[in-house]
Amino acid sequence: KKDLSIVIPSYNEIGNLKKLLNQVNNILIKNNNIEFIIVNNGSTDGTKEYLKINKHIFPKIKFVTVKKNIGYGHGIKYGLKFTTSDIISWTHADLQIDINDVVNHFKKYFPKIKKKKILIKGRRINRSFFNTFFTDSMSFIVYLIFNVEINDINGQPKIFSKVFVDKILKYGPNDFTIDLFLLLLVKKNNYMIKEFPLKFKNRLNDKAKGGGTFIGKVKLTIATLKFICLLKFNFSHKLWK
């Protein structure tokens, strides 16, 4: 049993996989108390073949495969089924956030996560006004509807207690709104959200799958608004307790 399980869904990120896997492998060589679950989330770019060929090079990493891509959230939920730790984290595979930062902040806040009701998350800095505007607008809407203050909803990573995994698997959405679902879930259970600033890097390879473009941000905004309405009007209060 490990102290931390990190789930990383990867959809058509073959251009980033080699660097990502080397980073993860270097972390695992130095940290026996951490496990990584890399989810091939129904990729169609040769990821499946690449991992099959290179799997023996990275024996410490857990590789799991979703046959057909249903969404980012579904990939996370599938990966959660293979975790063994009491503390869970998820983040992206696009290398815009340094995986080492996830581990370093886990170590920094490990005692608090074990003893207190707290979720740790990154808050992206050095972003453009355009990107920050979309992010802050969604946070404001969430505050108006739920009276809950949440910053940078899709900021990575998320590090939290495994007590929420069952409800994520049962009720969590299959798209990018899974981040909002988790944050509302921990807030409604009186958990504190502790943020740390995290430098957001430019994407080097492959295309953004979520809100990386204007069209992507519009789609993500619409999906988030629909999910907010679903949570507000259709979900039982039993979900939150």
Side-chain angles (χ1 to χ4, degrees), residues 99-121:
I99 301 299
N100 288 285
D101 284 333
V102 182
V103 176
N104 291 336
H105 283 88
F106 158 72
K107 291 179 178 179
K108 180 178 179 180
Y109 293 105
F110 178 69
K112 289 186 177 180
I113 303 173
K114 289 284 287 184
K115 296 179 180 180
K116 298 183 179 180
K117 300 176 71 173
I118 187 171
L119 174 143
I120 308 298
K121 67 177 289 291

Side-chain angles (χ1 to χ4, degrees), residues 184-233:
L184 285 173
L185 186 61
V186 300
K187 274 286 191 177
K188 291 295 185 178
N189 281 272
N190 300 314
Y191 272 59
M192 180 176 72
I193 295 177
K194 172 70 177 179
E195 294 184 319
F196 58 89
L198 201 59
K199 187 175 181 180
F200 194 63
K201 302 177 181 179
N202 293 324
R203 174 181 276 273
L204 298 177
N205 299 295
D206 301 316
K207 296 181 180 179
K209 314 304 187 300
T213 63
F214 177 78
I215 294 177
K217 282 181 172 55
V218 171
K219 289 182 178 180
L220 179 59
T221 300
I222 293 173
T224 303
L225 290 174
K226 287 182 178 179
F227 188 64
I228 286 173
C229 293
L230 179 66
L231 286 178
K232 183 65 177 178
F233 300 112

Side-chain angles (χ1 to χ4, degrees), residues 7-222:
V7 176
I8 306 180
S10 175
Y11 174 63
N12 289 350
E13 293 284 357
I14 194 167
N16 294 313
L17 270 181
K18 183 177 180 180
K19 185 175 181 180
L20 172 66
L21 295 181
N22 280 317
Q23 285 185 355
V24 169
N25 194 57
N26 289 335
I27 290 171
L28 291 176
I29 290 173
K30 302 174 183 177
N31 299 272
N32 291 324
N33 63 329
I34 297 174
E35 66 177 359
F36 281 86
I37 297 93
I38 307 294
V39 183
N40 172 23
N41 199 14
S43 299
T44 58
D45 63 347
T47 291
K48 181 180 179 180
E49 293 74 19
Y50 177 82
L51 293 179
K52 185 177 181 180
I53 293 172
N54 290 278
K55 189 175 182 180
H56 68 282
I57 300 176
F58 307 102
K60 292 179 177 290
I61 304 175
K62 289 184 181 181
F63 295 104
V64 297
T65 296
V66 175
K67 291 184 178 180
K68 182 179 180 181
N69 181 266
I70 298 176
Y72 168 73
H74 180 262
I76 287 177
K77 291 194 294 182
Y78 189 76
L80 289 176
K81 297 177 182 179
F82 298 88
T83 59
T84 66
S85 310
D86 290 329
I87 298 177
I88 307 296
S89 177
W90 69 57
T91 189
H92 297 164
D94 55 17
L95 299 178
Q96 290 185 275
I97 291 174
D98 192 333
I99 301 299
N100 288 285
D101 284 333
V102 182
V103 176
N104 291 336
H105 283 88
F106 158 72
K107 291 179 178 179
K108 180 178 179 180
Y109 293 105
F110 178 69
K112 289 186 177 180
I113 303 173
K114 289 284 287 184
K115 296 179 180 180
K116 298 183 179 180
K117 300 176 71 173
I118 187 171
L119 174 143
I120 308 298
K121 67 177 289 291
R123 185 172 187 179
R124 296 166 289 184
I125 59 176
N126 69 291
R127 302 176 75 209
S128 67
F129 172 81
F130 172 70
N131 289 329
T132 303
F133 174 77
F134 268 90
T135 298
D136 291 347
S137 297
M138 293 312 304
S139 296
F140 181 66
I141 292 172
V142 169
Y143 176 75
L144 288 178
I145 294 177
F146 293 102
N147 194 30
V148 171
E149 186 174 348
I150 299 174
N151 298 311
D152 196 2
I153 294 169
N154 296 107
Q156 303 298 327
K158 308 291 194 303
I159 308 173
F160 57 97
S161 170
K162 193 176 183 177
V163 298
F164 296 107
V165 167
D166 286 344
K167 285 197 173 178
I168 294 171
L169 292 175
K170 187 173 182 179
Y171 299 109
N174 288 326
D175 58 14
F176 277 90
T177 56
I178 194 170
D179 284 314
L180 173 59
F181 175 83
L182 171 64
L183 296 177
L184 285 173
L185 186 61
V186 300
K187 274 286 191 177
K188 291 295 185 178
N189 281 272
N190 300 314
Y191 272 59
M192 180 176 72
I193 295 177
K194 172 70 177 179
E195 294 184 319
F196 58 89
L198 201 59
K199 187 175 181 180
F200 194 63
K201 302 177 181 179
N202 293 324
R203 174 181 276 273
L204 298 177
N205 299 295
D206 301 316
K207 296 181 180 179
K209 314 304 187 300
T213 63
F214 177 78
I215 294 177
K217 282 181 172 55
V218 171
K219 289 182 178 180
L220 179 59
T221 300
I222 293 173

